[in-house]
Amino acid sequence: MCVVMALIVFVLGTFIASRYKAIMVPKDLYFPQVTSIRQTHSSSVYLCQKSSSTSSSSSSSSSSSLTHVVEFNDSNGFFNIWHSMDDEELIEKAKWVPRVAAYPWKVAFMFLSKRSLPLGPFWEKFFQGHEGLFSIYLHMSPDFNYEPPNSSVFYKRRIPSKHVHWGKPSMIDAERRLLANALLDFSNQRFILLSETCIPLFNFTTIYNYLINSNHSFLSSFDEPTKIGRGRYNKRMGPTITLQDWRKGSQWFEVNRELAVETISDKIYYHVFQKHCWPPCYMDEHYLPTLVNKVRPDLTTNRTVTWTDWSGGGSHPTTFMRKDITEVFLNRVRYESNCTYNDAHSSICFLFARKFHPSTLQPLLKIALRLLEL
């Protein structure tokens, strides 16, 4: 009887293990056993390989505790995040990742851009010397084929992307795609959405500590009792989403790992928006604010850390040109605000700013030493 029971347990365990692997592991990824870490060249991502110094006896005794780490390295040894998963499979994998990041924690910088990053050299200075504490993900038009040189932090950082249209559901699809890809790195703890017109306002250490040590995410979600707020609500969204649930906010968010998983796991509210939120309703201004208000309002501060100038009115914010770039202007953006950070008063409320024209690159590089405190 005992032999039969043992056989049943063994068969059942084998079946469960195979099903887990089929669900969690993409067929085109390689998962080596890991005992040591090798840092990639000009990259924040770590590649894992078997240790050559570990003895056979110690390896056998500790084999049960070895972990599996995703490795996408190309023939040159660079970490490559490209894969062959479609959106549905990608989201399914990302839903089951750990909600607590592995140490050392990293910040995932997710760039949503049509084509190139004209301010890339300024970002290069920002990232310089902080390898291992950040990850970069680029969502670009699929017909844009330029690859940065392998000395760049942006080398091999593009994810499988699709065309994005302003004000359409494809914008949210791209954001979910970025989050899902970034979640596959178990060390990413914070996730910031940026555009090609964004710049950092402080040095890397300041921004990293601000985000990693925050008790909340930075995603604005507020009730706007006007035509551009409640006026965009479609009653066909009810009863799943009511007018009382409806929220507005900035597209440019920053979330922690737990809220990132909640975001890409949603199907109910996403499909309601897909079906009923069309201009003058814009998903990028309402979907995430409403979703967070419904599922985890406790995880956000209801403000953004990306500064934008809407004082000119209209559908688009001010675009800053070369002549606008001065230390006085940037210091005003950096310090002349009031907010709360971890329940305490703070004058540092914004970590990034937009929209900056490509012509601003040279004046930004000239003051980079003082602005980023390199």
Side-chain angles (χ1 to χ4, degrees), residues 324-352:
D324 299 313
I325 305 304
T326 65
E327 289 187 60
V328 173
F329 162 64
L330 292 174
N331 282 330
R332 187 169 68 248
V333 176
R334 297 204 300 169
Y335 298 114
E336 294 186 9
S337 299
N338 292 293
C339 61
T340 58
Y341 174 78
N342 287 348
D343 299 322
H345 173 76
S346 176
S347 61
I348 298 180
C349 304
F350 299 106
L351 306 180
F352 308 93

Short mmCIF file of all heavy atoms in Angstrom, two decimals, residues 324-352:
data_model
loop_
_atom_site.label_atom_id
_atom_site.label_comp_id
_atom_site.label_asym_id
_atom_site.label_seq_id
_atom_site.Cartn_x
_atom_site.Cartn_y
_atom_site.Cartn_z
N ASP A 324 15.13 78.20 -23.80
CA ASP A 324 14.49 78.11 -22.48
C ASP A 324 15.39 77.48 -21.42
O ASP A 324 15.10 77.58 -20.22
CB ASP A 324 13.20 77.28 -22.58
CG ASP A 324 12.19 77.88 -23.52
OD1 ASP A 324 11.95 79.10 -23.41
OD2 ASP A 324 11.64 77.16 -24.36
N ILE A 325 16.46 76.82 -21.84
CA ILE A 325 17.26 76.04 -20.90
C ILE A 325 18.25 76.92 -20.14
O ILE A 325 19.29 77.34 -20.69
CB ILE A 325 18.00 74.90 -21.62
CG1 ILE A 325 17.00 74.06 -22.39
CG2 ILE A 325 18.78 74.04 -20.62
CD1 ILE A 325 15.88 73.49 -21.55
N THR A 326 17.92 77.19 -18.90
CA THR A 326 18.81 77.91 -17.98
C THR A 326 18.76 77.21 -16.63
O THR A 326 17.81 76.49 -16.32
CB THR A 326 18.38 79.37 -17.80
OG1 THR A 326 17.09 79.41 -17.16
CG2 THR A 326 18.30 80.10 -19.15
N GLU A 327 19.79 77.44 -15.82
CA GLU A 327 19.80 76.86 -14.48
C GLU A 327 18.68 77.43 -13.63
O GLU A 327 18.10 76.72 -12.79
CB GLU A 327 21.15 77.10 -13.82
CG GLU A 327 22.28 76.28 -14.44
CD GLU A 327 23.55 76.42 -13.65
OE1 GLU A 327 23.56 76.07 -12.45
OE2 GLU A 327 24.55 76.87 -14.23
N VAL A 328 18.37 78.71 -13.83
CA VAL A 328 17.30 79.34 -13.05
C VAL A 328 15.97 78.64 -13.33
O VAL A 328 15.21 78.32 -12.41
CB VAL A 328 17.19 80.85 -13.41
CG1 VAL A 328 15.96 81.46 -12.74
CG2 VAL A 328 18.46 81.58 -12.97
N PHE A 329 15.69 78.39 -14.61
CA PHE A 329 14.45 77.71 -14.99
C PHE A 329 14.39 76.31 -14.40
O PHE A 329 13.38 75.91 -13.78
CB PHE A 329 14.34 77.65 -16.51
CG PHE A 329 13.37 76.64 -17.03
CD1 PHE A 329 12.01 76.75 -16.76
CD2 PHE A 329 13.81 75.56 -17.78
CE1 PHE A 329 11.10 75.80 -17.23
CE2 PHE A 329 12.91 74.61 -18.25
CZ PHE A 329 11.56 74.73 -17.98
N LEU A 330 15.45 75.54 -14.54
CA LEU A 330 15.43 74.16 -14.05
C LEU A 330 15.39 74.08 -12.53
O LEU A 330 14.72 73.21 -11.98
CB LEU A 330 16.66 73.41 -14.59
CG LEU A 330 16.65 73.17 -16.11
CD1 LEU A 330 17.96 72.57 -16.57
CD2 LEU A 330 15.49 72.27 -16.51
N ASN A 331 16.05 75.01 -11.85
CA ASN A 331 15.99 75.00 -10.39
C ASN A 331 14.60 75.37 -9.88
O ASN A 331 14.17 74.90 -8.82
CB ASN A 331 17.03 75.96 -9.81
CG ASN A 331 18.42 75.36 -9.82
OD1 ASN A 331 18.58 74.14 -9.72
ND2 ASN A 331 19.44 76.20 -9.95
N ARG A 332 13.91 76.21 -10.63
CA ARG A 332 12.53 76.54 -10.26
C ARG A 332 11.65 75.30 -10.34
O ARG A 332 10.82 75.05 -9.46
CB ARG A 332 11.99 77.64 -11.17
CG ARG A 332 10.63 78.17 -10.74
CD ARG A 332 10.23 79.42 -11.49
NE ARG A 332 9.95 79.14 -12.90
CZ ARG A 332 10.70 79.57 -13.91
NH1 ARG A 332 11.79 80.28 -13.67
NH2 ARG A 332 10.38 79.28 -15.16
N VAL A 333 11.84 74.50 -11.38
CA VAL A 333 11.07 73.26 -11.53
C VAL A 333 11.46 72.27 -10.44
O VAL A 333 10.61 71.57 -9.88
CB VAL A 333 11.32 72.64 -12.92
CG1 VAL A 333 10.61 71.30 -13.03
CG2 VAL A 333 10.85 73.58 -14.02
N ARG A 334 12.74 72.24 -10.09
CA ARG A 334 13.23 71.25 -9.13
C ARG A 334 12.79 71.53 -7.69
O ARG A 334 12.49 70.59 -6.94
CB ARG A 334 14.76 71.20 -9.17
CG ARG A 334 15.31 70.75 -10.51
CD ARG A 334 16.70 70.16 -10.40
NE ARG A 334 17.70 71.07 -9.87
CZ ARG A 334 18.92 70.67 -9.51
NH1 ARG A 334 19.26 69.40 -9.62
NH2 ARG A 334 19.79 71.55 -9.06
N TYR A 335 12.76 72.80 -7.30
CA TYR A 335 12.59 73.09 -5.87
C TYR A 335 11.37 73.92 -5.49
O TYR A 335 10.99 73.95 -4.33
CB TYR A 335 13.84 73.82 -5.35
CG TYR A 335 15.10 73.00 -5.47
CD1 TYR A 335 16.13 73.39 -6.33
CD2 TYR A 335 15.27 71.84 -4.72
CE1 TYR A 335 17.30 72.65 -6.43
CE2 TYR A 335 16.43 71.09 -4.82
CZ TYR A 335 17.44 71.49 -5.67
OH TYR A 335 18.59 70.76 -5.77
N GLU A 336 10.74 74.60 -6.43
CA GLU A 336 9.65 75.52 -6.06
C GLU A 336 8.29 74.83 -6.13
O GLU A 336 7.37 75.27 -6.83
CB GLU A 336 9.70 76.76 -6.94
CG GLU A 336 10.95 77.61 -6.70
CD GLU A 336 10.93 78.92 -7.47
OE1 GLU A 336 9.87 79.25 -8.06
OE2 GLU A 336 11.97 79.59 -7.50
N SER A 337 8.14 73.76 -5.39
CA SER A 337 6.86 73.05 -5.29
C SER A 337 6.66 72.62 -3.85
O SER A 337 7.60 72.63 -3.04
CB SER A 337 6.84 71.82 -6.21
OG SER A 337 7.01 72.18 -7.57
N ASN A 338 5.45 72.25 -3.54
CA ASN A 338 5.12 71.76 -2.20
C ASN A 338 4.33 70.47 -2.31
O ASN A 338 3.38 70.39 -3.08
CB ASN A 338 4.31 72.80 -1.42
CG ASN A 338 5.12 74.02 -1.08
OD1 ASN A 338 6.06 73.94 -0.30
ND2 ASN A 338 4.79 75.16 -1.68
N CYS A 339 4.73 69.46 -1.57
CA CYS A 339 4.05 68.18 -1.58
C CYS A 339 4.41 67.42 -0.30
O CYS A 339 5.15 67.94 0.54
CB CYS A 339 4.44 67.37 -2.82
SG CYS A 339 6.21 67.00 -2.90
N THR A 340 3.90 66.24 -0.18
CA THR A 340 4.29 65.37 0.93
C THR A 340 5.03 64.16 0.39
O THR A 340 4.70 63.64 -0.68
CB THR A 340 3.07 64.90 1.74
OG1 THR A 340 2.17 64.21 0.87
CG2 THR A 340 2.37 66.07 2.39
N TYR A 341 6.02 63.73 1.14
CA TYR A 341 6.80 62.54 0.80
C TYR A 341 6.91 61.70 2.06
O TYR A 341 7.46 62.15 3.07
CB TYR A 341 8.17 62.92 0.27
CG TYR A 341 9.09 61.73 0.02
CD1 TYR A 341 8.94 60.94 -1.11
CD2 TYR A 341 10.08 61.39 0.95
CE1 TYR A 341 9.77 59.85 -1.34
CE2 TYR A 341 10.90 60.30 0.73
CZ TYR A 341 10.75 59.53 -0.41
OH TYR A 341 11.56 58.44 -0.62
N ASN A 342 6.35 60.49 2.02
CA ASN A 342 6.30 59.62 3.20
C ASN A 342 5.73 60.36 4.41
O ASN A 342 6.27 60.33 5.52
CB ASN A 342 7.68 59.06 3.52
CG ASN A 342 8.12 58.00 2.53
OD1 ASN A 342 7.33 57.51 1.72
ND2 ASN A 342 9.40 57.65 2.57
N ASP A 343 4.63 61.09 4.14
CA ASP A 343 3.86 61.81 5.15
C ASP A 343 4.58 63.01 5.74
O ASP A 343 4.16 63.55 6.77
CB ASP A 343 3.45 60.86 6.29
CG ASP A 343 2.57 59.72 5.81
OD1 ASP A 343 1.72 59.97 4.92
OD2 ASP A 343 2.74 58.59 6.29
N ALA A 344 5.67 63.46 5.11
CA ALA A 344 6.38 64.65 5.59
C ALA A 344 6.42 65.69 4.47
O ALA A 344 6.38 65.36 3.28
CB ALA A 344 7.81 64.28 6.01
N HIS A 345 6.49 66.96 4.85
CA HIS A 345 6.54 68.04 3.86
C HIS A 345 7.83 67.96 3.06
O HIS A 345 8.90 67.65 3.58
CB HIS A 345 6.46 69.40 4.56
CG HIS A 345 6.68 70.54 3.63
ND1 HIS A 345 5.71 70.98 2.75
CD2 HIS A 345 7.78 71.33 3.43
CE1 HIS A 345 6.20 72.00 2.05
NE2 HIS A 345 7.44 72.23 2.45
N SER A 346 7.72 68.26 1.75
CA SER A 346 8.90 68.23 0.88
C SER A 346 8.77 69.30 -0.21
O SER A 346 7.67 69.57 -0.69
CB SER A 346 9.05 66.85 0.23
OG SER A 346 10.14 66.85 -0.69
N SER A 347 9.91 69.90 -0.56
CA SER A 347 9.94 70.85 -1.68
C SER A 347 10.41 70.15 -2.95
O SER A 347 10.39 70.75 -4.03
CB SER A 347 10.87 72.02 -1.35
OG SER A 347 12.20 71.56 -1.14
N ILE A 348 10.87 68.92 -2.83
CA ILE A 348 11.22 68.13 -4.01
C ILE A 348 10.04 67.23 -4.35
O ILE A 348 9.78 66.24 -3.67
CB ILE A 348 12.48 67.28 -3.76
CG1 ILE A 348 13.68 68.18 -3.45
CG2 ILE A 348 12.78 66.40 -4.98
CD1 ILE A 348 14.97 67.42 -3.18
N CYS A 349 9.33 67.62 -5.37
CA CYS A 349 8.10 66.90 -5.76
C CYS A 349 8.23 66.24 -7.13
O CYS A 349 7.56 65.25 -7.41
CB CYS A 349 6.92 67.85 -5.77
SG CYS A 349 6.66 68.71 -4.19
N PHE A 350 9.07 66.82 -7.98
CA PHE A 350 9.23 66.31 -9.34
C PHE A 350 10.66 65.82 -9.56
O PHE A 350 11.62 66.52 -9.22
CB PHE A 350 8.88 67.39 -10.36
CG PHE A 350 7.46 67.87 -10.25
CD1 PHE A 350 7.17 69.12 -9.70
CD2 PHE A 350 6.40 67.08 -10.68
CE1 PHE A 350 5.86 69.56 -9.59
CE2 PHE A 350 5.09 67.51 -10.58
CZ PHE A 350 4.82 68.75 -10.03
N LEU A 351 10.78 64.63 -10.13
CA LEU A 351 12.08 64.04 -10.41
C LEU A 351 12.44 64.11 -11.89
O LEU A 351 13.60 64.03 -12.26
CB LEU A 351 12.10 62.58 -9.97
CG LEU A 351 11.71 62.29 -8.51
CD1 LEU A 351 11.77 60.80 -8.24
CD2 LEU A 351 12.60 63.06 -7.55
N PHE A 352 11.41 64.27 -12.73
CA PHE A 352 11.58 64.32 -14.19
C PHE A 352 10.74 65.47 -14.73
O PHE A 352 9.83 65.95 -14.06
CB PHE A 352 11.14 63.01 -14.84
CG PHE A 352 11.78 61.79 -14.23
CD1 PHE A 352 11.15 61.10 -13.20
CD2 PHE A 352 13.02 61.35 -14.65
CE1 PHE A 352 11.73 59.99 -12.62
CE2 PHE A 352 13.62 60.24 -14.08
CZ PHE A 352 12.97 59.56 -13.06
#
